[in-house]
Amino acid sequence: LDSALADAKVSLARNIYFVFDGSGSMNESFSGQDRFNRKIDGAKWAVREFMSKIPEDVNLGLYVFDTHGAREVLSLGPNNKDKFLAAIDAVEVAGNTPLGDATRFGTDQLIKQYQRQLGYGEFRLIVVTDGIVTAGITIQEAAQYALERRIPIYTIGLCIGGDHPLRHWSVS
């Protein structure tokens, strides 16, 4: 038995892994609306609204790229909603957008959890972004990677055009 799966057990836990874009372009103003000054303000608001509907027992994980670089700030785990929201609040806008790399990383974290749960439960990847990739693999490559592993990607998009790849990838 693989040591990574030594603690594997059947679980119906719900798992949501977030990729949150805090890159420089998220500092831009929203066009055509007056509720938020910047894209990042809208993104943080949208995540807070989403999280208000999520039960406490959902396993949450968070990968951020911002002024502090690209990194996992919260490993996928239970009862960490407060830590998750604090990490979202702490995002400081600056830097590149390794959106493809981050999406692939999030997919891998969900796959590991899928294996720990012996294939049971729910697994979702949520990408919060304005969709402008400036570093790493393309979003098309990352979306295909997730699709092949049957991990659905949901997008909270800020000013994303209708032809953006995150609007067209889904698990069938």
Side-chain angles (χ1 to χ4, degrees):
L1 181 66
D2 186 326
S3 62
L5 296 179
D7 64 341
K9 64 180 180 180
V10 171
S11 171
L12 297 178
R14 290 176 284 181
N15 302 276
I16 303 175
Y17 198 92
F18 281 78
V19 169
F20 193 89
D21 182 347
S23 66
S25 64
M26 293 294 281
N27 202 34
E28 295 172 1
S29 63
F30 263 124
S31 58
Q33 68 84 42
D34 48 309
R35 184 171 187 171
F36 305 106
N37 292 328
R38 305 172 302 154
K39 292 177 187 177
I40 192 68
D41 300 325
K44 288 180 178 183
W45 174 84
V47 169
R48 282 199 161 279
E49 285 294 303
F50 182 89
M51 292 306 294
S52 72
K53 310 291 189 250
I54 298 296
E56 293 293 328
D57 65 344
V58 171
N59 291 332
L60 296 172
L62 177 62
Y63 188 97
V64 171
F65 43 93
D66 66 357
T67 193
H68 304 289
R71 75 241 178 252
E72 182 177 56
V73 296
L74 188 64
S75 298
L76 195 59
N79 304 313
N80 59 6
K81 195 178 204 180
D82 290 339
K83 288 180 185 176
F84 175 89
L85 291 171
I88 291 295
D89 288 342
V91 171
E92 296 180 34
V93 177
N96 288 328
T97 311
L99 187 58
D101 293 343
T103 300
R104 186 170 178 144
F105 183 90
T107 299
D108 287 341
Q109 299 315 299
L110 288 165
I111 293 299
K112 288 175 189 174
Q113 186 66 19
Y114 177 87
Q115 292 168 342
R116 283 190 291 270
Q117 291 181 207
L118 299 175
Y120 292 89
E122 294 179 26
F123 305 87
R124 306 282 182 258
L125 182 63
I126 299 180
V127 178
V128 184
T129 185
D130 63 357
I132 303 166
V133 179
T134 61
I137 67 170
T138 68
I139 193 59
Q140 292 89 338
E141 291 170 299
Q144 184 63 39
Y145 182 80
L147 179 67
E148 289 168 358
R149 285 147 187 84
R150 304 198 56 75
I151 298 294
I153 299 173
Y154 300 90
T155 306
I156 297 175
L158 296 109
C159 305
I160 290 181
D163 60 345
H164 195 278
L166 286 174
R167 291 189 176 265
H168 303 288
W169 293 87
S170 64
V171 176
S172 52

